[in-house]
Amino acid sequence: MADVSLKEAALIVGVVAACYWNSLFCGFVFDDVSAILDNKDLHPSTPLRNLFQNDFWGTPMSEERSHKSYRPLTVLTFRLNYLFSELNAVSYHFLNLVFHVVVCIVFLKVCKLFLDNRSSVVASLLFAVHPIHTEAVTGVVGRAELLSSIFFLAAFLSYTKSKGPDNTIVWTPIAVTVFLVAVATLCKEQGITVVGICCVYEVFIAQGYTLPALLDTAVQILRGKGSIPFSMLQTLLKLIVLMFSTLLLVVVRVQVIQSQLPVFTRFDNPAAVSPSPARQLTFNYLLPVNAWLLLNPSELCCDWTMGTIPLVESLLDVRNIATLTFFCFLGSLMVFSLRYPGDSSKTVLMALCLIVLPFIPASNLFFPVGFVVAERVLYVPSMGFCILVAHGWKKLSTKSVLRKISWVCLAAVLFTHALKTLHRNWDWESEYTLFMSALKVNKNNAKLWNNVGHALENEKNFERALQFFIQATQVQPDDIGAHMNVGRTYKNLNKTKEAEESYMIAKSLMPQIIPGKKYAARVAPNHLNVYINLANLIRANESRLEEADQLYRQAISMRPDFKQAYISRGELLLKMNKPLKAKEAYLRALELDRTNADLWYNLAIVYIELKDPTEALKNFNRALELNPTHKLALFNSALLMQESGDARLRPEAKQRLLHYVKEEPQDSNGYFNLGMLAMDDKKDMEAEAWMKKAIRLQPNFRSALFNLALLYSQTGKELMALPVLEDLLRYYPDHTKGLILKGDILMNQKKDIVGAKMCFEKILELDPNNVQGKHNLCVVYFEEKDLIKAEKCLVETLALAPHEEYIQRHLNIVRSKIASLGAVEQSSLPSDGTAATEAKKKSVQNLKEAKSEKATTQSTADNKEHSKNKKLTEKSSVDKETPKKSTKEIKDIEKKRVAALKRLEEIERILNGE
């Protein structure tokens, strides 16, 4: 076995780098979104054992919606990427590029077993630059092919060392081969097919048999004219070991998927659900289609499902000629390689094995697959193709007449393939560029129109997205998903009527339930989301809540394990003020998935509605155990701790809010509530800083503006409060408490009686029965020396609040003042003035207490008023356009707070009382 020289390795590295350098600038597209962005198995907080319990996309293998693709070692490499760079796409693409280089070098080593040195390098270079590999190399999820291929080739190389001197068996390489086969299979399922290649190698290459020789030996043995040669017995022993280990791997694999095949729709692979002979004719026609992609990779497409390749429904279909030609060519090569001895036939045989055997899992031969054609599955078969081409080139280049032409043709193929690969990489830059490039190749695939629509939808370009979704429904009128996409986009455009019509069309396309037959086996589980989306739409109408609930229950009856239906129904039941039933729905969902942080969060909201803050906090904590960065749980649990009035919980509440603002640095609510906590702890400077930051992010933040002004007022910085109050009243001219506070500051600090009067008159315009505003206006009249008007005003105020003792007392002072006026008017002023001063001092004292209390109670009240918009329920995975769903405002938690609010109102009634 020849080694790979440093020059050869450097050449391969340079060629791969030249072809794939621009892949580093591509993002996560297509299947990368599910496998990387949405896969929680990549997160360090997820236990490693989950990688061996879930499929490639992070779905538990036990769930029916699982894709059943078991590739834990590939996911482990994604997790390592995430550990070092999180979701930086460059590192993922770079590692793919490195793995492709490794595959090319190991492939060169394999080629040297069957080709001369020059031809081996040619085969390796052809493999390195072939455009068909862009999906496997530039698409991050293609790493499954890359990793599997490394161990696939390593297992084969190990097996080639199992033949010792005098045809003895060397067991160590065989043991290593079995181990590497298992590793390759854990990277991708097709890795197990290397066992078949090892068997062919053992019989026809290592032992040198030909098919006629084997048949002759078998006939002799059957006739009793000879015995089995010892060398053949050794070969049989090695093959039995290989086959037994393969069988063991298959049994384990079947156990992992729990003997269940994944559920695909007829759109994923139309031929799989077609009757005979269309099914057989189409499946056979797909073989020359794949071969043509290897031979002429000029038109590549990321998705070949649905109507990309029309069904071959008749023997008279002209495409059957391509199928017949392909099988004739393949058959002739097989006859040549199996019948005749010699190096050339051995090379062709091994090339055919590399083409055919790894492709069998994707051929629909044993079970239907979820695609029509997939370019990435041609990664390993292309190795055999490159060996055939290099072997043919070698035959031509040895002829003097064709030597120059063969070199020119080789250079042209390598150069054009490299350019095509470089250009093709740019298609994978974004989802929009990828799917638009696919539409140039194939306009009959509704899925491509849908995917372009999704890409535009993610950019909030709903008008253009709608055009592509509608086109998808025209290309494939019975595509349920396309109609769901149209409905969702109409909803995003606030066209509720059109959205409902589209959802109803999608619902009408759902197959009817057949008694005794499992519904989920006949329809893609995600299509059941049409019931969820339709219910989510119509429940916006308060008169149709029962109708929406009926849709949720219908979805649950079809799939009792449909978790999202329980989640959405629980949210609806909360809206219908049925928290106990909502609790039942969420508990049922938790039975299906106890690792869903959103479910624990929703259950916490239910307990708040049930006025059980202790259980609510426990469930918030459970959500944060599962997802420490759960933003809503961080925010609302901190708010719950703050409102509990327990000073021991404030440090933890602060830490959670600090974590929240780290996750959501542009959300002013987090900074505002940090300010509230600081005010509770009497940390005035810290509270001021947090409030100012909240206002910088949201200049019209009502609660932050008022509480900052209140903070200034209570700390003796009344004049600093005035500009803040001006801003508050500019945005909210009817803010009564802001007007009262401004009037108080103008009258007592600025001595601006006119300005204060305008504030109190504005209050009475908004609410003529506002006792506090009217009383303060009476005080203004007193300060203006208009005692008659002051008396009349106080009488009217007393009529509004006859039980308020301070109003009666102030009325008596004014009347006493009027009675004492006369000949000695000025002489009586000092005594009454002194009384008024004493009353004012007492009022100021009360005001300070009020402000101190208000720093806690009013801020909490305003906080609750504002933060109710932050309380969202579980983030729905059904309707992409509505990731937020509101719940009711968190209500008063402790009686102490209620009592404090009551005291505040009493104290504010005597604000400015004299």
Side-chain angles (χ1 to χ4, degrees), residues 123-135:
S124 184
L125 290 177
L126 283 170
F127 179 79
V129 304
H130 204 297
I132 201 72
H133 299 154
T134 50
E135 183 172 343

Side-chain angles (χ1 to χ4, degrees), residues 29-143:
V29 297
F30 204 13
D31 289 339
D32 298 346
V33 176
S34 299
I36 308 296
L37 300 183
D38 298 338
N39 193 346
K40 293 181 180 179
D41 287 348
L42 272 63
H43 301 169
S45 58
T46 302
L48 275 174
R49 65 175 180 275
N50 283 25
L51 273 64
F52 296 89
Q53 296 172 349
N54 299 342
D55 66 14
F56 189 52
W57 318 98
T59 305
M61 294 292 290
S62 57
E63 293 190 11
E64 189 171 2
R65 64 189 179 92
S66 169
H67 197 273
K68 309 301 181 185
S69 48
Y70 189 65
R71 305 161 191 173
L73 296 186
T74 303
V75 179
L76 182 62
T77 66
F78 292 152
R79 185 166 173 137
L80 292 174
N81 270 119
Y82 188 92
L83 182 65
F84 289 104
S85 63
E86 293 193 351
L87 295 177
N88 182 0
V90 174
S91 71
Y92 293 80
H93 288 293
F94 178 75
L95 196 54
N96 272 25
L97 192 152
V98 170
F99 285 145
H100 184 53
V101 169
V102 174
V103 173
C104 293
I105 292 174
V106 179
F107 176 58
L108 174 58
K109 196 174 182 68
V110 171
C111 289
K112 290 188 176 186
L113 294 172
F114 314 109
L115 298 170
D116 61 36
N117 197 58
R118 178 181 293 174
S119 301
S120 298
V121 173
V122 168
S124 184
L125 290 177
L126 283 170
F127 179 79
V129 304
H130 204 297
I132 201 72
H133 299 154
T134 50
E135 183 172 343
V137 180
T138 310
V140 177
V141 295
R143 185 178 299 179

